[in-house]
Amino acid sequence: MAVIELVNIKQETDGKPLFEIEYLQIKKHARIGLVGNNGAGKSTLLALIAGQTALSQGEIKRFGFVQLLPQLKTTATTESGGEVTQRYINDALAKKTDVLLADEPSTNLDRQHIEKLTIQLKRWQGALVLVAHDRALLDALCDEIWEIDQQKINVYAGNYSNYRKRKEQKAAEQEASYQHYVEKKKQLERAQMLKQQKAERATKKPKQLSRSEAKITGAKPYFAKKQKKLHQTKKALETRLAQLEKVDKPYQTRAIKMDIPDAKSIHQRPIIRVTDLAGQIENKMLWQPASFQIKGGDHVAIIGANGVGKTTLIHMIIDQVPGVENSPAIKIGYFHQKLNTLDLNASILTNVSKGAIQSETLIRTLLARLHFFEDDVNKSVGVLSGGERVKVVLAQLMVSDINTLILDEPTNFLDLEAVEALETLLADFPGTLLFVSHDQWFIERLATKLIVIEKQTLKLFPGTYRQFNGPDHQHDQQATDLMVIETRLSEVLSRLSLNPSDKLEQEFQALLKQKQQRLNK
């Protein structure tokens, strides 16, 4: 039974077409994920269904109560962003409504609260239409995906993972169709050229005729007829070539190989050492003294609930507070949400090229990977959306004179396609990566190690996010403890070589004993 019907919709924005819908329906217990690029019209569609935006053309039939959980929430309060979001969610779920339209409900929520949100929405009895950049959330909740693409809405059965597989399958089919088209076009062009050459040779009587040709009465008319026939065949080939249905070449990502300063010389060497570093803001203890080290080429995710001190740790590392020692060889590029490095009056290409050490060809390739194609790079940054400006800043950092990227929630404001493009770029980044994120898929794909802050403790976990959440976590915890001891051993050994003392020697022997005990467990 349908609770919403959308009939012959044509929606415009600023006089330009946004999307068209011939017919779509939302059933009573539907679980729909709505996806599309920034600016495709996802929030507009939700507002139309809720009756909060004027319809350009068409009809929306509602057979129940509809509630919209907006993306932009009132923040004139002392509550944190996560607290505001959770309050909106609780208020929405407390009301009796038939259709809940949730626009980015996981914004500002940490992983713990996203898991709570997932449980709440699974228990929800009405229909749900969900816009989210959290792919794990879409996977857990949705059994149908609506994709806004090129002003049309495509419907895919299944969750987000199934949608991505289908998209990949369509891309493979498009590639196969294109290759078939290219080969067929080449065959017709070769045949056309051969007939043209034969027709040209038949324009005059040969000097030497075969006996059979010499017996033909009126040899000249014979060759004229032969030429005419060849021209007719050539014209038929031209017609077939003109009627050959054109298949567009699929966009193919080009490999990006960046030369990172000192990347090889510092690879797998300690470049950030943290020793007995405590996290504290005013009178609030974030974490007890902790020690760890990050090596060149590591991709490290900092995870933990909101307010545990993830951003504080980043600032401590960048500022090299007491207890933090950064190698002189590292060059840090830091991404944060202020986006104050952009010149709004300059073009995308000009902004990214400023301070770049990579070639313009590589810069253009990287921008294309972030879906700034061809003339797009000449757009003024001032006309870009918030998500597009985030992409420009990230590109700016990646081509600059750095070998260590530190990113604080880089996927905020990015659409799913942009997030996946950024993942691909960062996975190939040959330098060191340290990032904060609540996006489970993003962490799983990129992180080779984790810094986990919870219950006022900070520990380095020497494995992936999947391993951290897996059944062998106890074994992995032993590996973490062992790594901490090895880090301390390395530090004490360095100090011993410079300033030998009985105290340092005793500490060194004690650490060796602890290491042996861990290995014997």
Side-chain angles (χ1 to χ4, degrees):
M1 176 182 175
V3 287
I4 299 288
E5 289 185 345
L6 299 97
V7 185
N8 296 324
I9 305 293
K10 287 188 177 180
Q11 189 64 21
E12 295 183 347
T13 178
D14 298 327
K16 296 180 181 178
L18 189 60
F19 53 73
E20 296 183 8
I21 301 171
E22 185 175 338
Y23 179 81
L24 280 175
Q25 66 175 7
I26 301 172
K27 294 183 179 179
K28 189 174 182 179
H29 298 294
R31 291 290 184 271
I32 298 167
L34 181 59
V35 302
N37 293 343
N38 289 339
K42 301 185 295 295
S43 294
T44 299
L45 179 55
L46 294 189
L48 285 173
I49 296 171
Q52 296 184 7
T53 294
L55 189 60
S56 300
Q57 182 179 325
E59 182 182 10
I60 297 178
K61 301 176 182 179
R62 302 175 184 87
F63 306 102
F65 295 102
V66 181
Q67 184 177 2
L68 174 62
L69 178 61
Q71 179 178 1
L72 299 176
K73 305 169 180 68
T74 304
T75 56
T77 172
T78 58
E79 296 173 302
S80 68
E83 289 171 334
V84 171
T85 299
Q86 191 62 59
R87 175 166 53 80
Y88 267 76
I89 293 166
N90 294 339
D91 290 346
L93 295 177
K95 296 176 182 176
K96 292 182 179 180
T97 185
D98 298 288
V99 182
L100 178 62
L101 310 172
D103 195 353
E104 297 288 2
S106 61
T107 301
N108 296 319
L109 296 184
D110 55 36
R111 178 49 49 189
Q112 180 181 352
H113 285 91
I114 290 173
E115 289 172 358
K116 178 183 175 181
L117 171 65
T118 304
I119 294 170
Q120 287 177 302
L121 292 179
K122 279 184 176 180
R123 291 173 178 169
W124 172 251
Q125 295 300 307
L128 172 68
V129 181
L130 172 67
V131 174
H133 68 264
D134 189 313
R135 291 156 293 180
L137 190 65
L138 289 169
D139 252 9
L141 294 173
C142 301
D143 54 24
E144 185 172 284
I145 299 294
W146 289 5
E147 175 201 49
I148 305 180
D149 182 37
Q150 298 181 12
Q151 300 175 9
K152 301 290 183 183
I153 295 187
N154 306 310
V155 178
Y156 295 82
N159 61 11
Y160 185 79
S161 291
N162 290 332
Y163 156 74
R164 289 304 307 167
K165 288 176 184 176
R166 181 65 187 123
K167 290 283 286 184
E168 290 167 5
Q169 183 182 345
K170 284 179 70 174
E173 291 169 356
Q174 172 78 1
E175 177 64 26
S177 297
Y178 175 74
Q179 293 300 333
H180 177 74
Y181 160 76
V182 169
E183 188 57 36
K184 190 68 177 176
K185 186 170 181 283
K186 285 180 180 178
Q187 289 175 0
L188 290 172
E189 287 173 341
R190 283 196 296 265
Q192 183 184 3
M193 185 179 65
L194 289 172
K195 293 301 178 185
Q196 175 68 30
Q197 290 172 347
K198 286 183 178 181
E200 290 173 355
R201 288 198 296 268
T203 55
K204 53 186 178 180
K205 176 183 172 182
K207 293 180 179 179
Q208 295 182 346
L209 299 177
S210 65
R211 290 184 179 180
S212 58
E213 288 174 326
K215 292 178 182 179
I216 297 174
T217 304
K220 188 173 182 180
Y222 163 76
F223 286 107
K225 289 179 182 177
K226 185 176 179 182
Q227 182 192 29
K228 184 178 179 181
K229 187 176 180 181
L230 288 167
H231 275 302
Q232 289 174 339
T233 306
K234 175 176 171 286
K235 193 162 185 67
L237 287 169
E238 287 175 350
T239 301
R240 287 177 63 189
L241 190 58
Q243 293 176 343
L244 184 64
E245 186 177 350
K246 184 180 179 182
V247 178
D248 292 330
K249 183 178 181 180
Y251 173 72
Q252 294 178 327
T253 58
R254 294 172 59 185
I256 294 181
K257 293 184 178 179
M258 288 182 281
D259 293 324
I260 302 297
D262 301 313
K264 291 182 179 178
S265 64
I266 63 175
H267 184 69
Q268 287 305 298
R269 294 186 178 182
I271 58 170
I272 299 172
R273 296 180 188 270
V274 173
T275 308
D276 293 332
L277 180 67
Q280 189 167 342
I281 297 180
E282 297 177 349
N283 295 324
K284 182 181 179 181
M285 176 60 70
L286 299 174
W287 66 82
Q288 301 295 331
S291 300
F292 64 88
Q293 65 182 17
I294 295 173
K295 297 180 180 179
D298 282 350
H299 284 193
V300 184
I302 304 174
I303 64 173
N306 287 338
V308 297
K310 300 184 295 295
T311 300
T312 299
L313 176 61
I314 281 177
H315 289 157
M316 285 178 160
I317 290 173
I318 293 173
D319 296 338
Q320 290 196 74
V321 301
V324 176
E325 180 186 358
N326 294 343
S327 166
I330 70 169
K331 298 178 179 180
I332 293 175
Y334 174 45
F335 170 84
H336 51 81
Q337 299 293 339
K338 293 182 180 178
L339 308 182
N340 53 9
T341 60
L342 296 176
D343 180 351
L344 301 184
N345 297 317
S347 70
I348 294 170
L349 183 60
T350 300
N351 269 278
V352 176
S353 299
K354 184 180 179 181
I357 63 168
Q358 310 293 343
S359 68
E360 183 174 328
T361 300
L362 188 142
I363 291 171
R364 286 179 176 271
T365 301
L366 187 145
L367 287 172
R369 291 276 285 272
L370 292 171
H371 301 98
F372 293 121
F373 301 110
E374 298 178 354
D375 291 340
D376 288 343
V377 302
N378 297 319
K379 286 182 181 178
S380 169
V381 168
V383 304
L384 301 181
S385 68
E388 288 172 322
R389 293 184 189 186
V390 168
K391 292 193 290 184
V392 174
V393 172
L394 289 166
Q396 192 180 55
L397 282 174
M398 293 185 74
V399 300
S400 62
D401 187 18
I402 57 101
N403 54 31
T404 302
L405 271 173
I406 298 182
L407 312 177
D408 195 355
E409 293 285 2
T411 60
N412 282 359
F413 310 112
L414 296 184
D415 57 56
L416 289 171
E417 193 171 21
V419 171
E420 289 170 353
L422 178 62
E423 281 178 352
T424 302
L425 287 171
L426 293 176
D428 294 335
F429 181 65
T432 308
L433 177 63
L434 182 64
F435 66 97
V436 173
S437 180
H438 294 298
D439 186 324
Q440 180 180 326
W441 280 27
F442 194 77
I443 297 168
E444 282 183 358
R445 182 169 182 190
L446 292 177
T448 56
K449 295 178 181 177
L450 308 174
I451 292 176
V452 184
I453 308 176
E454 58 182 355
K455 298 177 182 178
Q456 295 189 337
T457 63
L458 185 155
K459 292 185 178 180
L460 181 69
F461 177 78
T464 65
Y465 190 70
R466 190 179 297 274
Q467 289 170 332
F468 176 74
N469 289 306
D472 296 329
H473 180 74
Q474 183 62 40
H475 170 74
D476 292 331
Q477 183 59 50
Q478 292 175 4
T480 303
D481 293 340
L482 187 60
M483 176 173 282
V484 170
I485 293 171
E486 287 178 339
T487 302
R488 293 287 296 145
L489 272 169
S490 177
E491 292 166 356
V492 172
L493 189 59
S494 297
R495 287 156 60 193
L496 265 173
S497 62
L498 295 173
N499 298 300
S501 70
D502 292 340
K503 184 178 179 181
L504 281 175
E505 182 62 34
Q506 289 172 5
E507 185 178 355
F508 182 70
Q509 294 300 328
L511 286 167
L512 280 177
K513 186 176 180 180
Q514 288 180 33
K515 179 180 177 180
Q516 193 59 45
Q517 288 173 344
R518 290 289 191 282
L519 291 173
N520 291 336
K521 280 188 176 181

